[in-house]
Amino acid sequence: MYKYVARRLMMSIPVLVLSSLIVFGLMRVMPGDALTALMGESGNVSAKELQKLRKDLGLDLPYYKQYLIWVGQMVSLNPGDSIFTNEPISVALKKSIPVTLELAVLAMILGLVIAIPVGVLSATRQDKPADYVGRVAAISGLSIPEFWLATLVITFAAIWFRWIPPLGYASFWDAPWTNIQQFLLPAAILGYRLSSATMRMTRSTLLEVLREDYVRTAWAKGLEGRVIVYKHALKNALIPVVTLVGGQFGTLLAGTVVVEWIFALPGMGRLTVEAILYRDYPIVQTNVMLVAIALVTLNLLVDLTYAWLDPRIRYQ
């Protein structure tokens, strides 16, 4: 196991290096730069002042030097300062990471609470009304765009109930009820969409497992149906589901920007989009690398979870 983990960590280094090169290159080929945005905010800037600003920001250096400086900052856990606000990036991350992390975790919990029971019910009641209802719910969740559903929910809540979620962000430890109001609707919307794919995967894999010989033997021995499904069949059926859930959580960390924008949550997605608009290279590069590191870590954890779900799996 230790050798496997060490090998996977070594393999992740080229992935992270390639990711850093891609995001660094893409930011440099975009039209305009941070100085263009700064000039738009501050008005006319003379050529001399512009040259001084470019030197102060390090934008006059060759690209390979800019890349090496940025990599050194990332390795030292000091990503530097924002070009546009001149604020340390670590300060912005301390504000945005808890928002996105709470939203992603809550959405994942709600999604699993919906998906696993409905998937099991749909599989054990195949081709019955409960199965059809579950399949319609899953297909609807996959078909309805998040931004449309989020806009619909917040609009109808305002029209019918004269209520909208509190704007901004309140920590759960400081104002728990306000925090719940801010996150319940966006997390439910994200969780419903994520539960749809998990629901279908749970149903499909559980149906396959229920047709296995050892399950038929358990039925023939007279074991209770609930014991057969939840103790013997479900655990083996969850391996593909775990793979899907791991990828979904990574998608949540990187793709909550639309929901964050609609519900005015100051998370990483919103921070990244604003940084892209202002060509704030350090923030965009740092956020993308944090997401890449999170995805690599999640993939490793998913692989290690297989051995717990199926003891027959061994890591060489």
Side-chain angles (χ1 to χ4, degrees):
M1 177 69 75
Y2 296 110
K3 291 182 179 179
Y4 173 79
V5 173
R7 188 165 61 247
R8 283 294 302 270
L9 291 175
M10 292 298 295
M11 291 172 59
S12 66
I13 294 177
V15 175
L16 296 177
V17 171
L18 182 61
S19 300
S20 67
L21 288 170
I22 291 174
V23 66
F24 183 87
L26 287 177
M27 289 303 299
R28 293 318 187 273
V29 300
M30 291 177 64
D33 57 14
L35 289 182
T36 305
L38 284 172
M39 289 171 61
E41 291 288 329
S42 60
N44 294 327
V45 179
S46 65
K48 187 176 180 180
E49 291 175 331
L50 187 62
Q51 184 177 1
K52 183 178 183 300
L53 281 173
R54 188 176 296 277
K55 184 177 181 180
D56 292 341
L57 296 175
L59 299 178
D60 61 331
L61 298 174
Y63 285 158
Y64 76 91
K65 287 188 178 181
Q66 294 184 39
Y67 175 78
L68 293 177
I69 291 173
W70 170 58
V71 171
Q73 291 174 334
M74 291 295 296
V75 173
S76 63
L77 302 181
N78 179 24
D81 299 334
S82 165
I83 293 178
F84 195 76
T85 64
N86 205 30
E87 180 185 51
I89 296 176
S90 57
V91 174
L93 292 178
K94 287 179 182 178
K95 297 176 183 177
S96 60
I97 288 179
V99 178
T100 298
L101 196 58
E102 182 179 354
L103 180 59
V105 170
L106 187 57
M108 183 58 66
I109 292 174
L110 292 176
L112 292 178
V113 167
I114 296 171
I116 301 299
V118 174
V120 172
L121 180 65
S122 186
T124 54
R125 302 289 188 272
Q126 186 180 12
D127 296 330
K128 294 182 179 179
D131 182 25
Y132 291 126
V133 171
R135 288 158 68 179
V136 169
I139 294 173
S140 300
L142 291 172
S143 305
I144 298 175
E146 292 174 357
F147 69 88
W148 183 83
L149 183 60
T151 305
L152 197 67
V153 167
I154 199 170
T155 301
F156 283 166
I159 294 175
W160 291 347
F161 303 106
R162 305 294 181 181
W163 177 85
I164 60 173
L167 300 178
Y169 171 70
S171 171
F172 180 81
W173 310 111
D174 298 331
W177 177 239
T178 303
N179 180 270
I180 292 173
Q181 288 180 300
Q182 290 173 335
F183 281 89
L184 188 58
L185 281 180
I189 291 168
L190 289 172
Y192 172 56
R193 181 167 179 81
L194 292 175
S195 70
S196 304
T198 308
M199 195 187 309
R200 289 179 61 84
M201 180 64 73
T202 303
R203 178 184 181 275
S204 300
T205 56
L206 187 57
L207 283 174
E208 293 179 6
V209 173
L210 289 175
R211 298 188 181 101
E212 296 288 340
D213 292 339
Y214 73 89
V215 176
R216 293 196 184 101
T217 303
W219 285 109
K221 290 171 65 177
L223 288 179
E224 186 181 354
R226 184 176 299 178
V227 174
I228 294 173
V229 171
Y230 289 100
K231 185 176 180 180
H232 298 287
L234 183 59
K235 192 173 181 180
N236 290 328
L238 283 179
I239 291 180
V241 177
V242 168
T243 304
L244 179 64
V245 169
Q248 286 180 333
F249 191 72
T251 302
L252 274 177
L253 293 176
T256 59
V257 55
V258 175
V259 174
E260 287 179 359
W261 203 282
I262 292 175
F263 287 92
L265 294 174
M268 286 188 66
R270 186 172 180 176
L271 176 66
T272 303
V273 171
E274 291 177 349
I276 292 174
L277 293 176
Y278 292 125
R279 306 297 189 270
D280 202 338
Y281 304 144
I283 288 184
V284 178
Q285 294 166 178
T286 301
N287 287 2
V288 172
M289 288 308 301
L290 288 177
V291 171
I293 293 170
L295 289 174
V296 170
T297 304
L298 285 171
N299 286 332
L300 177 59
L301 293 177
V302 166
D303 288 348
L304 296 179
T305 306
Y306 294 160
W308 175 74
L309 290 172
D310 190 348
R312 296 171 297 178
I313 294 177
R314 291 292 180 267
Y315 297 102
Q316 301 297 330

